[in-house]
Amino acid sequence: FNWTEVGFMYTDIDPREAENLPFCKHYAASFKDSTNTLLSEVYTSIRFINKFTVSAFQSILESLKSRARVIIVCVENREHRKNLM
């Protein structure tokens, strides 16, 4: 298939859950650094979902699915994670 791109979609911390430490932004940066260092032939496409809605998620997913065989999704908010399932 000659796939060379991995997608990573993430959201930011919900202000209502401010007691939790944000982890998605750090995972995205760490993932990109790791793939750039270890897998030079793989391109990492990072997409930030500014205001999470199902339609925003679907739009970004649609833009990535033709290029990336693997798409990783990291969602900070518990309610949003539940809605995705």
Side-chain angles (χ1 to χ4, degrees):
F1 291 102
N2 201 21
W3 296 91
T4 58
E5 187 169 343
V6 175
F8 194 109
M9 299 168 50
Y10 73 99
T11 63
D12 207 353
I13 191 79
D14 187 319
R16 294 173 293 176
E17 296 179 359
E19 72 278 359
N20 297 330
L21 293 173
F23 58 90
C24 289
K25 183 177 182 178
H26 300 292
Y27 284 165
S30 177
F31 181 77
K32 185 169 186 162
D33 289 345
S34 296
T35 55
N36 287 346
T37 302
L38 301 172
L39 303 168
S40 59
E41 68 278 356
V42 175
Y43 175 74
T44 306
S45 182
I46 306 287
R47 299 289 185 266
F48 173 67
I49 305 170
N50 189 25
K51 293 191 180 194
F52 184 89
T53 63
V54 173
S55 62
F57 174 80
Q58 289 173 332
S59 175
I60 294 171
L61 188 60
E62 189 68 32
S63 74
L64 287 173
K65 78 176 188 178
S66 64
R67 301 186 323 258
R69 182 172 182 127
V70 175
I71 299 173
I72 300 163
V73 179
C74 186
V75 179
E76 297 276 2
N77 181 286
R78 291 182 192 118
E79 185 178 322
H80 294 160
R81 282 194 300 262
K82 185 177 117 184
N83 289 340
L84 283 176
M85 296 300 164

